[in-house]
Amino acid sequence: MQKLGYVKSALRSHIMTMLSEKISKLEKFIDFTIEASRDIKKTPKYDSVREEAQEEIYQLQKQLGGFYTMQKAMAKVVNTEFEKVQLGSVVITNKARFYISVSLGEFFFEGDRFYAISEESPIAQKMLGMRAGDEFILNKIHQRIEEIL
């Protein structure tokens, strides 16, 4: 059912690539939105449209800042294997695959579904310090840790 034995360095590189792509797309969208706001013609609705564009730019810049923060956080994530769950661990349970790194959410790697979660997330907090074979319940869902990389 679940593939065991993922290469952590490849998984980490995949996350870094995903972050870089998201940053690039946001930067292009911000540039586009700035250019579009400059092209708004003076009309009776000029001020409200321009304000909306500025608010959109502000929100995009906040998202971009979050992705830059995630990139910096990934520098702390190491590729070594662990016996206990900690930052940088790939945790494979009987229900899902988790990469404790940054809060990027669901993604696919080598055809399998993973969840990139931060160590502050509730599920990571529940798993921290556990070993393969340990079990836990979160939100009434019982999970067993099958492997830790």
Side-chain angles (χ1 to χ4, degrees):
M1 177 181 144
Q2 294 186 10
K3 174 184 173 184
L4 302 177
Y6 297 96
V7 178
K8 279 178 69 170
S9 60
L11 185 59
R12 186 176 186 280
S13 293
H14 184 72
I15 293 285
M16 292 299 286
T17 300
M18 286 174 50
L19 285 171
S20 294
E21 288 171 356
K22 287 180 182 287
I23 287 170
S24 178
K25 284 180 186 176
L26 268 177
E27 286 173 339
K28 287 176 186 173
F29 195 64
I30 289 169
D31 290 343
F32 173 79
T33 307
I34 289 170
E35 279 302 312
S37 73
R38 288 184 187 139
D39 292 341
I40 297 171
K41 304 289 183 218
K42 297 236 179 209
T43 65
K45 292 187 177 185
Y46 169 77
D47 289 336
S48 63
V49 171
R50 193 164 176 93
E51 282 179 30
E52 287 177 25
Q54 289 301 320
E55 180 62 26
E56 180 71 19
I57 291 166
Y58 173 73
Q59 294 300 326
L60 292 169
Q61 288 172 333
K62 279 178 47 178
Q63 284 182 340
L64 186 61
F67 286 127
Y68 282 136
T69 301
M70 283 187 209
Q71 266 188 331
K72 288 178 188 171
M74 281 301 293
K76 298 175 188 172
V77 178
V78 294
N79 284 329
T80 56
E81 292 198 14
F82 305 107
E83 288 185 22
K84 292 183 179 180
V85 177
Q86 61 188 40
L87 178 65
S89 295
V90 175
V91 182
I92 300 171
T93 72
N94 60 321
K95 304 277 187 205
R97 297 165 205 84
F98 302 96
Y99 183 35
I100 302 177
S101 54
V102 294
S103 183
L104 199 57
E106 179 184 66
F107 67 97
F108 289 88
F109 178 71
E110 295 182 357
D112 291 325
R113 181 186 320 247
F114 278 81
Y115 296 92
I117 59 174
S118 73
E119 62 184 337
E120 290 87 24
S121 69
I123 193 160
Q125 287 293 307
K126 196 78 166 171
M127 292 189 295
L128 287 176
M130 290 186 160
R131 298 176 182 272
D134 289 348
E135 299 179 2
F136 63 95
I137 298 173
L138 183 67
N139 296 331
K140 299 180 183 177
I141 299 172
H142 179 269
Q143 295 190 54
R144 181 182 64 261
I145 297 174
E146 295 180 348
E147 185 178 7
I148 301 170
L149 302 174

